[in-house]
Amino acid sequence: MLGSNTMKPKNNGPERKFSWQTFLQQYSGIITLLVLFVFNAIFTPHFLSMQTLNINLTQVATIVIVGVGMTLVIATGGIDLSVGSLMAIAGALAPMIFMSEGLKDSPYGIALAFVLPVLAVTLLGLFNGLLVSKFQLQPIIATLVLFIAGRGIAQVLTGGNLQTFTNPAFQYIGMGKPFGIPFQVILMVLIVVLAAWMLRKTVLGRHILSVGGNEKAARLSGVPIQGIKYAVYAISGLLAGIAGLITIAINSASDANQVGQNMELDAIAAVAVGGTLLEGGKATIVGTLIGALIIQLIRYTLLAKGVPDSVALIVKAGIIVGAVALQRSRRA
């Protein structure tokens, strides 16, 4: 009947109810970072000064740069323990180049000091990819090779000696401040933006995530598995090389025993806290940036309150455990 013909609303499925638990899980990183920022802004003197901001960003820049490469490796289901040693190799090579007799005080020497060390460790990163993809070694074993041998290579290159230098042109990468902003912070932001765009918008990014999500399915879909693994380990090596140059530029010295020490742990911690799945298949570059900032702010907060740095290391370990537990609850 015409009078009884009523329209019923379409049922498009069950309505999604707002859940505080889901919200906190999804935005836990940003919330934690905001809480730390507000706490320090209120209770830590001079926290909002430009000097303090620059100090924190400078200290976190190398961790983020290395963490970006680590994020890509972990996204494929791998791990890279060699990044600290690769930093040491790059840091050992650069002064040897620009302080050599033929290239001393030459712009060509500075250019080569930037290019050759980074190229060298990129090739070593490619070697990691070769061990993982071609020889089917587990990533933790494959990269353990250069974790051990890489620092030995750096020590052999320098004869175990501290290399000190003063070279404003080279040191600009670590001490320059265009527009009052540390150059390495600008470089960090550019690398984060470029890597985030690549991961989300390019075929390479989709292939990286597909390899980590389901390698067998990716292979059946025509994804070049070996090429992808070569690429992520090479990128990780390249970024470790850049971080190594920044480190020695800041310190005006290269110490093969100290450059990049424990950097692999800091990078993995930033990736885990940032929300990237350690099993692969899902990754967030911006999350790695947030994770590194959280770890740095927690350390800064504890030191500002007179807590020893040794305690800060224990807290960092607790944060990693919490991040992994949060990942498990998200999947559940």
Side-chain angles (χ1 to χ4, degrees):
M1 294 177 64
L2 184 61
S4 63
N5 187 17
T6 57
M7 296 293 292
K8 294 182 179 180
K10 293 182 179 180
N11 186 4
N12 294 322
E15 293 183 4
R16 294 183 179 179
K17 295 182 179 180
F18 178 80
S19 169
W20 277 108
Q21 182 180 2
T22 304
F23 177 82
L24 291 175
Q25 288 176 344
Q26 187 172 0
Y27 297 102
S28 58
I30 296 176
I31 294 170
T32 303
L33 186 61
L34 288 174
V35 169
L36 286 169
F37 186 88
V38 171
F39 176 86
N40 282 285
I42 296 173
F43 298 106
T44 304
H46 312 298
F47 175 74
L48 296 178
S49 68
M50 186 59 68
Q51 181 180 5
T52 301
L53 180 63
N54 282 344
I55 289 173
N56 279 294
L57 289 175
T58 298
Q59 291 179 349
V60 84
T62 52
I63 298 175
V64 174
I65 291 172
V66 175
V68 168
M70 188 69 74
T71 303
L72 299 179
V73 170
I74 288 177
T76 64
I79 198 78
D80 190 354
L81 299 181
S82 69
V83 288
S85 297
L86 296 185
M87 286 177 63
I89 292 174
L93 285 172
M96 294 174 62
I97 294 171
F98 67 72
M99 292 195 303
S100 63
E101 285 299 326
L103 297 173
K104 197 172 184 179
D105 300 324
S106 167
Y108 298 106
I110 300 300
L112 290 174
F114 282 125
V115 174
L116 293 183
V118 173
L119 178 61
V121 294
T122 300
L123 292 176
L124 290 175
L126 199 61
F127 172 74
N128 284 333
L130 177 69
L131 294 180
V132 171
S133 62
K134 188 72 174 178
F135 294 97
Q136 300 295 308
L137 291 181
Q138 291 183 345
I140 194 170
I141 301 300
T143 58
L144 188 63
V145 172
L146 280 176
F147 170 81
I148 298 171
R151 196 163 295 277
I153 292 171
Q155 291 168 344
V156 169
L157 288 171
T158 61
N161 299 319
L162 176 70
Q163 299 181 93
T164 59
F165 55 85
T166 301
N167 191 313
F170 176 81
Q171 290 177 266
Y172 190 84
I173 192 174
M175 301 180 69
K177 288 188 177 181
F179 311 106
I181 303 173
F183 181 80
Q184 68 264 40
V185 174
I186 297 175
L187 189 59
M188 174 193 75
V189 172
L190 289 175
I191 289 172
V192 167
V193 170
L194 182 61
W197 171 82
M198 181 275 291
L199 196 60
R200 291 177 61 90
K201 300 295 184 180
T202 68
V203 173
L204 175 60
R206 291 193 291 272
H207 283 178
I208 288 172
L209 296 177
S210 67
V211 170
N214 190 324
E215 185 171 324
K216 290 183 180 179
R219 181 178 288 108
L220 292 174
S221 300
V223 175
I225 305 295
Q226 287 190 1
I228 295 300
K229 290 185 178 181
Y230 286 148
V232 295
Y233 283 98
I235 293 171
S236 182
L238 183 149
L239 295 178
I242 293 173
L245 299 186
I246 292 172
T247 300
I248 67 169
I250 293 172
N251 296 328
S252 302
S254 175
D255 184 350
N257 299 308
Q258 297 296 324
V259 174
Q261 191 174 47
N262 295 327
M263 178 57 76
E264 58 281 340
L265 304 180
D266 288 336
I268 294 170
V271 173
V273 173
T276 292
L277 293 181
L278 298 180
E279 295 87 351
K282 180 182 177 182
T284 165
I285 300 293
V286 175
T288 297
L289 171 63
I290 293 173
L293 289 172
I294 288 173
I295 293 172
Q296 171 60 27
L297 274 184
I298 289 176
R299 180 173 179 269
Y300 173 84
T301 304
L302 293 175
L303 292 177
K305 302 306 176 187
V307 179
D309 198 29
S310 55
V311 176
L313 293 175
I314 298 173
V315 173
K316 184 190 294 186
I319 293 170
I320 297 172
V321 172
V324 174
L326 185 60
Q327 287 186 10
R328 290 180 179 273
S329 67
R330 283 174 178 171
R331 288 198 301 275

